[in-house]
Amino acid sequence: MNDSFRTIKKPSQPVLFKDKNSKFHGYAFPFESDNNLKSLISKLRKAHQNAGHFCFAYQIGAGQNTQYKVNDDGEPNNSAGMPIYGQIQSFELTNVLVVVVRHFGGTKLGVSGLINAYRTTAKLALEQCEIIEKTINVRFELQFEYKLMSKVMQLLRKNNVDILNQTLTEHCLLEISVRKGNRMKVFQLFENFYGVDIVEL
């Protein structure tokens, strides 16, 4: 089971590509939800007030839950967003947004020139990034009496389980995070542990 994915650690440094006096500024951002899209584009619009096009592509999710979006922002159809998205795929990344901002230089580049410019700028932006691998995790809640704490903790350590939240009173409540590939193993481990209730969140 594939329970990991590649993404970027932090936003890239801005990059610049020039062709016939047109300037293409490239940016890559870690990106998990399009709720942040408007604010990111808005910041770039303020930074590039004379730019004519803010083209982008993003991909979020992993496996069968992957979603993507491309935007040519007024450039000829498929001359900007898709070439940017092609680079996200080429780098095998997800949870990433790449924006290319164009300042028109007075000379038309033609569709092939635009495709090359947007693709190259996206590539340069992604090459700036530190690429990391993240695991796909599932969350469980464990409930048990305090007297079982040491045994529960021992099992969690042994199976490399992360504790996200804990409430330790007479009745303990733990929220844990488990790598997807270990989901059934950990679930069965605690389901068969007398005195511990486990629920997937």
Side-chain angles (χ1 to χ4, degrees):
M1 176 190 290
N2 188 4
D3 61 357
S4 65
F5 60 89
R6 285 158 51 91
T7 190
I8 61 175
K9 188 173 184 180
K10 59 184 181 181
S12 68
Q13 294 296 317
V15 298
L16 175 63
F17 176 77
K18 296 178 183 177
D19 189 2
K20 295 179 182 172
N21 294 327
S22 276
K23 293 179 181 177
F24 297 83
H25 298 266
Y27 301 85
F29 302 94
F31 191 72
E32 293 186 357
S33 160
D34 63 4
N35 294 340
N36 305 325
L37 185 61
K38 280 186 178 178
S39 64
L40 285 170
I41 298 288
S42 176
K43 284 178 186 173
L44 292 176
R45 286 189 188 280
K46 284 177 185 171
H48 297 275
Q49 293 185 7
N50 298 322
H53 304 279
F54 294 79
C55 306
F56 68 82
Y58 69 71
Q59 179 158 289
I60 53 177
Q64 294 177 330
N65 299 320
T66 304
Q67 298 174 8
Y68 76 93
K69 186 174 182 179
V70 299
N71 189 319
D72 296 315
D73 194 31
E75 294 283 33
N77 205 21
N78 294 330
S79 67
M82 282 309 287
I84 297 170
Y85 181 57
Q87 288 307 302
I88 293 174
Q89 289 184 305
S90 179
F91 280 76
E92 298 179 341
L93 299 173
T94 192
N95 289 6
V96 64
L97 164 72
V98 179
V99 184
V100 178
V101 180
R102 182 189 182 192
H103 291 264
F104 182 54
T107 304
K108 290 190 175 182
L109 302 180
V111 171
S112 61
L114 289 173
I115 289 171
N116 178 62
Y118 282 103
R119 182 176 57 219
T120 303
T121 310
K123 182 173 185 279
L124 292 171
L126 291 171
E127 283 174 346
Q128 290 281 325
C129 297
E130 181 183 347
I131 294 172
I132 56 172
E133 188 162 320
K134 286 189 171 183
T135 57
I136 302 169
N137 296 335
V138 292
R139 293 180 304 129
F140 292 108
E141 186 178 83
L142 302 178
Q143 292 188 49
F144 52 92
E145 290 185 10
Y146 190 79
K147 63 184 181 184
L148 297 173
M149 173 60 77
S150 62
K151 286 184 179 177
V152 169
M153 287 300 193
Q154 197 177 353
L155 278 175
L156 293 176
R157 277 195 298 273
K158 193 175 172 184
N159 290 279
N160 299 316
V161 175
D162 293 324
I163 299 171
L164 302 177
N165 287 302
Q166 54 185 22
T167 307
L168 306 179
T169 57
E170 193 180 331
H171 298 285
C172 300
L173 197 65
L174 295 184
E175 185 184 331
I176 61 173
S177 177
V178 179
R179 187 164 176 162
K180 195 174 179 183
N182 294 332
R183 174 177 168 271
M184 282 311 295
K185 179 187 172 188
V186 171
F187 181 76
Q188 287 169 353
L189 201 63
F190 286 104
E191 195 181 36
N192 296 326
F193 190 142
Y194 183 74
V196 176
D197 290 326
I198 180 167
V199 179
E200 187 169 345
L201 298 174

